[in-house]
Amino acid sequence: MTTLVIGNKALSSWSMRPWVMMRTLGLTFDERLIRLDEPETRASIKDESPSGLVPCLIEEDGTTVWDSLAILEYLNDTRGGVWPEDGALRVHARCASAEMHSGFSSLRGTWPMDLTTEGARLAVPFGVRRDLARIFTLWSEALSRSAGPFLYGEFCGADAMFAPVVTRIKTYGPVAMPKACEDYLETVWTCPAVTEWRAGAAKEIEAGWYPR
Ligand SMILES: N[C@@H](CCC(=O)N[C@@H](CS)C(=O)NCC(=O)O)C(=O)O
């Protein structure tokens, strides 16, 4: 069976992306969770993933895909359904996903995904504000082209890429944004795959993984 190697559900934003996509596509896969920030984390991940990072998808035939966006592209090639069918929407979705993958470093660095601290209400420094403004522009463009409820209509790879932005805003916000973006935020936060991921994070908290 296909295996997806991931990190903690409360913390690993890059793992969340392919996981929610695979769940939404209804794919059957084994999940192998390696706890981050433990003395043996690096060695355990290195046994599975050539980059020493999660996520990493491993097929039964040994095919190994070790990067979140590469996993989405691989899933699209092998299973289909990751990107919108409409060509213009597909280009936009891929550009938005690439921009998320390579950019928004202030948002990612200052507001790390952390589902253990819901309601943390951090300050919104300039870099975060600038990144969020660009993200809301992207979301607004996509939603006006597709009419929602997800960025390009149905849940697709771009929604998976932005899902950890939704959780960050839920954790550290509120943040003012256009109404269409607010609706989108709730759509992602409550969709089945993201709800299931959050339930997994809640179990980690209950199990005492994050002592205060
Ligand atoms: N560009 C990579 C980034 C992967 C990444 O940074 N993963 C983090 C967890 S979210 C990791 O594996 N960290 C290993 C560690 O903390 O030892 C991707 O898109 O998959």
Side-chain angles (χ1 to χ4, degrees):
M1 192 185 299
T2 304
T3 301
L4 186 67
V5 186
I6 60 171
N8 304 31
K9 289 189 175 148
L11 306 178
S12 184
S13 60
W14 295 111
S15 302
M16 181 186 190
R17 293 170 163 110
W19 192 98
V20 295
M21 190 72 240
M22 290 171 80
R23 273 287 191 270
T24 303
L25 289 173
L27 303 178
T28 306
F29 61 99
D30 275 337
E31 165 188 312
R32 169 148 158 59
L33 191 151
I34 297 174
R35 280 181 68 169
L36 301 176
D37 306 329
E38 300 286 331
E40 66 280 5
T41 297
R42 270 290 146 100
S44 305
I45 298 180
K46 199 72 191 137
D47 284 345
E48 311 274 358
S49 169
S51 63
L53 299 172
V54 286
C56 183
L57 182 146
I58 305 167
E59 296 281 33
E60 261 180 47
D61 69 0
T63 303
T64 301
V65 193
W66 62 86
D67 174 275
S68 59
L69 191 53
I71 294 171
L72 295 183
E73 288 296 357
Y74 174 78
L75 292 171
N76 194 61
D77 287 350
T78 54
R79 276 76 167 185
V82 171
W83 303 115
E85 276 184 21
D86 176 89
L89 293 184
R90 197 164 58 245
V91 170
H92 200 275
R94 278 196 159 117
C95 288
S97 299
E99 197 173 334
M100 178 72 249
H101 192 245
S102 61
F104 306 125
S105 56
S106 291
L107 176 70
R108 290 195 282 113
T110 318
W111 281 12
M113 184 172 108
D114 187 348
L115 289 166
T116 72
T117 56
E118 230 174 278
R121 304 276 171 263
L122 283 193
V124 193
F126 172 76
V128 173
R129 257 204 315 272
R130 186 197 49 210
D131 285 352
L132 286 173
R134 172 62 190 148
I135 288 170
F136 297 149
T137 299
L138 270 176
W139 288 2
S140 300
E141 273 172 21
L143 291 164
S144 71
R145 289 177 187 211
S146 72
F150 291 100
L151 290 177
Y152 302 94
E154 303 283 303
F155 188 101
C156 78
D159 301 294
M161 289 304 288
F162 284 104
V165 172
V166 168
T167 71
R168 284 171 163 98
I169 294 171
K170 283 287 185 181
T171 300
Y172 302 120
V175 172
M177 67 184 85
K179 173 74 172 72
C181 295
E182 274 175 16
D183 293 344
Y184 170 67
L185 192 89
E186 289 308 317
T187 299
V188 172
W189 182 248
T190 57
C191 76
V194 171
T195 303
E196 194 187 342
W197 178 270
R198 289 165 47 209
K203 282 204 187 114
E204 295 172 357
I205 297 165
E206 274 164 38
W209 288 19
Y210 309 103
R212 298 255 164 235

